[in-house]
Amino acid sequence: MKDYKKYYIIPAEPEEVYVALTNPYTLQLWTGEPAEMSTEPGSEFSLWEGSITGKNLEFEENSKLVQQWYFGEQEEPSIVTIKLHPHKYGTSAELRHTNIPDEAYEDIAEGWDHAYFASLIDFYEGE
């Protein structure tokens, strides 16, 4: 199991980024795919046509979300925490993803950089 931690600068206010990460309609706008999402702790979510699925654990409006990502059967849950901090260029998103299965690590790290956050940043830069 491996952990991944990184910061991303997103050219939008934390309130806008929070909505983009938690509202299914806004998620669909920047991912290009239908999304299932709720800010109800314990609810399940699905992104990119089910390529990312899991359970929503905790939300702090405009500043934090915590999710469990599913990777089949594993003893320790894989937890994603995204904290949003105001930044002079918009928002600094602090990502921490724990307990990533070794065989999935490269794909997950690349996905965070080149799909998830790249798409979100492009969405705001294109406005």
Side-chain angles (χ1 to χ4, degrees), residues 20-120:
L21 297 177
T22 59
N23 181 299
Y25 304 106
T26 313
L27 273 161
Q28 184 171 339
L29 288 175
W30 66 267
T31 65
E33 306 282 354
E36 292 176 32
M37 177 61 76
S38 162
T39 53
E40 186 68 37
S43 62
E44 296 202 326
F45 67 90
S46 175
L47 306 174
W48 277 284
E49 294 188 321
S51 62
I52 299 172
T53 58
K55 184 190 294 183
N56 291 307
L57 302 179
E58 181 187 335
F59 294 92
E60 288 178 23
E61 192 170 357
N62 302 327
S63 67
K64 180 178 167 183
L65 66 136
V66 183
Q67 299 172 319
Q68 176 183 346
W69 282 28
Y70 297 155
F71 288 101
E73 295 296 317
Q74 68 182 58
E75 290 179 25
E76 293 290 320
S78 180
I79 303 296
V80 167
T81 303
I82 300 174
K83 294 181 181 175
L84 305 175
H85 308 282
H87 187 276
K88 64 181 176 181
Y89 297 114
T91 299
S92 170
E94 175 188 343
L95 166 72
R96 186 158 182 257
H97 192 166
T98 63
N99 293 325
I100 303 166
D102 293 350
E103 67 277 6
Y105 183 81
E106 292 298 323
D107 285 346
I108 292 295
E110 190 172 299
W112 280 120
D113 289 352
H114 301 295
Y116 197 101
F117 278 101
S119 297
L120 187 57

Side-chain angles (χ1 to χ4, degrees), residues 3-31:
D3 294 351
Y4 187 70
K5 185 171 183 180
K6 192 163 179 181
Y7 289 85
Y8 301 87
I9 304 300
I10 302 162
E13 296 302 310
E15 295 78 12
E16 294 176 88
V17 177
Y18 181 82
V19 168
L21 297 177
T22 59
N23 181 299
Y25 304 106
T26 313
L27 273 161
Q28 184 171 339
L29 288 175
W30 66 267
T31 65

